Amino acid sequence: MKKLVFSVLGLAFIFFMAFSIAPTSIASAPNYVNLNKMQEIKQLNSPMFKGQAIYEGKGSCSVCHQKNGQGLPQTFPPLANADYLLEDINRAIRQTMYGSTESITVNGFTYPGNEMLLKDLSDEEVRDVVYYILNSWGNNGGVVTIEDVQAQRK
């Protein structure tokens, strides 16, 4: 009888210990969720994400140059794999801020100068949208800094 009582008490002790430790393991799970949330927030603050939001939203760039960066043939030049764009990053910054009324040749095709609908973009917004354009659709244009943008302000 003593063996049965000790066996039952032993099993009860094991179950008690097992269930009292389990909440500690579960309680640490939110740390993983928080790390994932932090990575998501970091991504949302990246120049690529913010630049895309400006390109497709406030900046209205996608209206003419399209979401895929292909532009509209004979009207609005492509930004995807655009030799003109990648030749001079400072010119890309200036044109983002002030537009261009002169005709340009992109990938062998001439486009008429167009008056852009200029939006009042902050230095950070210009940096982010130019960074997005230079690094999207097969472009490998590198980095744009706030200092680069400020140097092009009139």
Side-chain angles (χ1 to χ4, degrees):
M1 185 71 163
K2 277 185 172 179
K3 286 185 178 180
L4 181 61
V5 171
F6 282 116
S7 296
V8 170
L9 285 175
L11 285 173
F13 178 76
I14 291 171
F15 279 113
F16 173 77
M17 291 304 290
F19 287 108
S20 67
I21 293 173
T24 303
S25 300
I26 293 171
S28 65
N31 290 333
Y32 296 113
V33 173
N34 289 341
L35 287 175
N36 289 336
K37 191 67 168 174
M38 287 173 57
Q39 289 172 340
E40 182 180 319
I41 290 169
K42 184 177 178 182
Q43 182 180 16
L44 292 176
N45 284 321
S46 74
M48 282 297 284
F49 183 83
K50 292 191 295 186
Q52 181 179 10
I54 294 163
Y55 181 86
E56 294 177 1
K58 178 181 180 178
S60 303
C61 313
S62 65
V63 173
C64 300
H65 296 288
Q66 306 301 295
K67 283 188 177 184
N68 62 6
Q70 295 298 315
L72 294 172
Q74 301 175 354
T75 309
F76 298 106
L79 300 176
N81 294 310
D83 57 357
Y84 177 85
L85 175 72
L86 301 173
E87 283 174 0
D88 187 347
I89 291 175
N90 288 325
R91 180 177 58 202
I93 293 169
R94 283 190 308 275
Q95 288 183 338
T96 299
M97 293 189 289
Y98 306 116
S100 177
T101 55
E102 60 191 47
S103 63
I104 61 172
T105 302
V106 180
N107 300 338
F109 295 97
T110 301
Y111 293 85
N114 294 309
E115 188 62 46
M116 295 179 9
L117 293 173
L118 296 176
K119 303 293 179 173
D120 188 26
L121 299 177
S122 69
D123 290 348
E124 183 178 290
E125 290 170 323
V126 171
R127 177 204 58 199
D128 292 343
V129 75
V130 173
Y131 181 89
Y132 171 73
I133 293 166
L134 292 175
N135 292 283
S136 296
W137 317 298
N139 294 336
N140 188 16
V143 176
V144 178
T145 66
I146 292 291
E147 293 77 20
D148 295 333
V149 173
Q150 290 171 341
Q152 300 308 312
R153 285 270 182 213
K154 291 181 181 175

